Amino acid sequence: MLFVMKRKGRSGLITQIEPWIDDKELIELQRVIDSTFVVEHKLTQEFEDMTKELTGAKHAVALTNGTMALFASLVALGIKSDDEVIIPNITFVATANAVILAGAIPVLCEVKSDTITIDVDKAKKLITAKTKAIIPVHLYGQSADMDQVMSLAKEFDLKVLEDAAQGVGVSFNNKHTGTFGDIGILSYYGNKTITCGEGGIVLTNDDELAKKVYRLKNHGRDVKGTFIHEYIGFNFSFTEMQAAIGISQMKKLPAIIERKKEIHDLYERELGGIKGFHIAFLDKRSTPVFWFTSFISEDVDELIGYLKKYEIQSRRFFYPLHLQPCYADKKYIKNIDDDFSISEEIYNKGISLPSSYLMSTSEQNIVINKIKDFYEDRN
Ligand SMILES: Cc1ncc(COP(=O)(O)O)c(C=O)c1O
């Protein structure tokens, strides 16, 4: 029997983000229960095929989560101890920590003040004999400049691993993020555009890399059911329950993308004219998916506090990596003392507004009116 789940919500609270989960997911989960197959099997393959169709990648390998997808990609690329990997200074910490887990050294690179993605001209200056790869991160629903990244990689013979954890549905020059470089990853974590609860996918057009990633997540084997292990591998496998949720979410993706664009456009229309408050820049070559709608504000702290009083959740941008306490001893990370004034300014001014598919227009209008009130008192 299927239960039709109603959105519970917390009365009055307007959430910054929440997944759209209902009886549609239950229908797919029922297929797992009926099959009694809970470890990855046919539904996982179906979900991988859907991801291939969405992205155009030749291979899509599902793993436990996006962090492990990054780690497995680095190992598959042959990144090893003491190799240097250039990453942007504004990203979620998983980008850096996956490099550390692979035994290599993340080298922090400043981001561009407009798109908040890696500044490739600055990345060029960080290249040494030890540099083996670059990880562009497609942040907050828009793409890094993949024209620049790919030409730098070509010039210096670098591997390209695209962190498209936030890039589901996002393209650059009409090509899906995660499919430009040697390898790329998507995340299906609970707050992402679509979710499996936890989940990650490795995308690649390279047969050998796809095989290597599969072995790494499957105890070093090319297939299940054998106990002779040709390679050293681990267990980063997906489950059929994750796949079931993912299949349902993938069917919802077009509606989610459309709704998120409506949310973005309404915020822009209503709030774009406020002095000291403007929407984050969009690169025209990028077809974004507005995972979050984000603004640049002169008064982030006060605004977040003001909205909170009215039970409206918002969030700041990612804390720049060079300031993270976990890297303060400078043991695991390089270039931490560079000039990161752009990152700091972006962090100090960035705010992501409520952006859930489930937010109603009347809820969004409450957010808009409160922001207008806030600025009316100030401007
Ligand atoms: C840019 C970025 N990279 C990597 C990750 C890690 O993905 P996951 O949470 O699926 O491990 C995330 C997400 O949470 C992310 O935002």
Side-chain angles (χ1 to χ4, degrees):
M1 183 190 154
L2 293 174
F3 299 93
V4 177
M5 287 182 286
K6 296 264 181 310
R7 181 184 174 213
K8 286 197 201 84
R10 277 157 281 174
S11 65
L13 181 75
I14 301 178
T15 54
Q16 197 269 322
I17 203 82
E18 66 183 296
W20 172 23
I21 302 281
D22 57 21
D23 57 318
K24 298 284 194 308
E25 279 68 31
L26 209 49
I27 291 169
E28 301 296 340
L29 279 165
Q30 190 65 47
R31 294 169 61 198
V32 182
I33 307 297
D34 292 345
S35 76
T36 75
F37 243 103
V38 288
V39 297
E40 61 175 56
H41 193 53
K42 286 190 180 151
L43 270 78
T44 300
Q45 233 169 48
E46 202 177 313
F47 181 60
E48 288 172 336
D49 287 346
M50 289 171 104
T51 303
K52 280 195 260 180
E53 203 178 312
L54 171 75
T55 59
K58 184 173 179 194
H59 301 281
V61 186
L63 291 89
T64 318
N65 56 48
T67 309
M68 285 304 116
L70 283 170
F71 169 70
S73 299
L74 288 160
V75 176
L77 286 171
I79 302 301
K80 52 184 186 338
S81 189
D82 283 341
D83 287 346
E84 292 180 4
V85 179
I86 299 174
I87 65 168
N89 189 43
I90 292 201
T91 178
F92 182 58
V93 284
T95 315
N97 290 342
V99 177
I100 293 170
L101 188 62
I105 304 161
V107 181
L108 301 183
C109 179
E110 183 59 296
V111 294
K112 289 192 287 188
S113 59
D114 50 10
T115 58
I116 325 177
T117 56
I118 195 159
D119 185 328
V120 176
D121 294 331
K122 289 186 178 154
K124 189 171 180 171
K125 297 191 183 118
L126 299 173
I127 293 173
T128 69
K130 288 182 166 187
T131 311
K132 294 288 159 23
I134 181 166
I135 307 184
V137 177
H138 306 297
L139 203 78
Y140 293 133
Q142 80 167 313
S143 171
D145 186 337
M146 290 312 295
D147 285 345
Q148 278 196 336
V149 170
M150 294 311 292
S151 72
L152 182 81
K154 197 166 169 211
E155 188 181 345
F156 291 93
D157 194 22
L158 304 180
K159 300 288 183 199
V160 176
L161 160 55
E162 291 174 72
D163 183 341
Q166 303 171 19
V168 175
V170 178
S171 53
F172 182 78
N173 287 335
N174 297 318
K175 192 169 148 88
H176 200 285
T177 53
T179 64
F180 287 81
D182 300 274
I183 200 160
I185 72 106
L186 306 177
S187 165
Y188 295 114
Y189 178 64
N191 70 2
K192 294 294 186 291
T193 304
I194 56 171
T195 184
C196 303
E198 294 277 358
I201 283 262
V202 169
L203 304 172
T204 183
N205 293 327
D206 183 315
D207 300 346
E208 205 43 47
L209 283 177
K211 240 187 216 171
K212 283 183 180 168
V213 168
Y214 182 80
R215 283 177 199 141
L216 279 161
K217 76 158 192 177
N218 182 35
H219 299 289
R221 302 171 295 193
D222 285 326
V223 288
K224 287 192 184 289
T226 172
F227 297 96
I228 298 168
H229 302 258
E230 303 279 350
Y231 305 90
I232 293 175
F234 310 94
N235 181 8
F236 312 132
S237 294
F238 213 53
T239 68
E240 290 289 89
M241 286 77 75
Q242 284 169 287
I245 304 262
I247 288 167
S248 173
Q249 290 275 297
M250 199 60 95
K251 291 178 186 167
K252 291 174 173 175
L253 183 61
I256 293 174
I257 292 175
E258 197 183 319
R259 177 75 193 116
K260 288 205 179 235
K261 182 164 175 7
E262 282 170 10
I263 290 171
H264 173 275
D265 291 353
L266 186 59
Y267 276 136
E268 185 171 29
R269 229 176 17 252
E270 291 292 326
L271 302 173
I274 295 176
K275 198 168 141 246
F277 192 73
H278 65 89
I279 203 146
F281 173 84
L282 292 173
D283 184 330
K284 291 270 180 293
R285 295 165 298 172
S286 179
T287 309
V289 170
F290 300 102
W291 178 47
F292 294 168
T293 293
S294 299
F295 277 79
I296 304 297
S297 161
E298 299 290 332
D299 318 275
V300 163
D301 268 340
E302 297 92 324
L303 180 58
I304 288 176
Y306 180 84
L307 293 174
K308 199 171 167 196
K309 274 202 309 206
Y310 295 98
E311 295 204 77
I312 298 167
Q313 286 183 341
S314 55
R315 63 178 245 185
R316 297 190 72 139
F317 284 9
F318 292 114
Y319 198 45
L321 296 181
H322 76 291
L323 298 175
Q324 292 286 0
C326 58
Y327 307 130
D329 63 10
K330 303 179 185 179
K331 239 162 95 182
Y332 297 107
I333 211 147
K334 205 175 145 188
N335 200 36
I336 201 163
D337 293 321
D338 206 344
D339 173 11
F340 288 113
S341 44
I342 292 172
S343 297
E344 288 178 26
E345 185 172 353
I346 286 167
Y347 173 72
N348 287 330
K349 294 185 174 175
I351 176 170
S352 299
L353 297 180
S355 306
S356 289
Y357 172 88
L358 295 173
M359 177 172 64
S360 67
T361 304
S362 59
E363 285 174 319
Q364 190 180 357
N365 279 324
I366 294 173
V367 179
I368 287 167
N369 288 331
K370 286 298 169 209
I371 293 173
K372 283 181 178 168
D373 290 350
F374 174 84
Y375 277 101
E376 224 166 71
D377 291 345
R378 312 201 135 219
N379 289 337

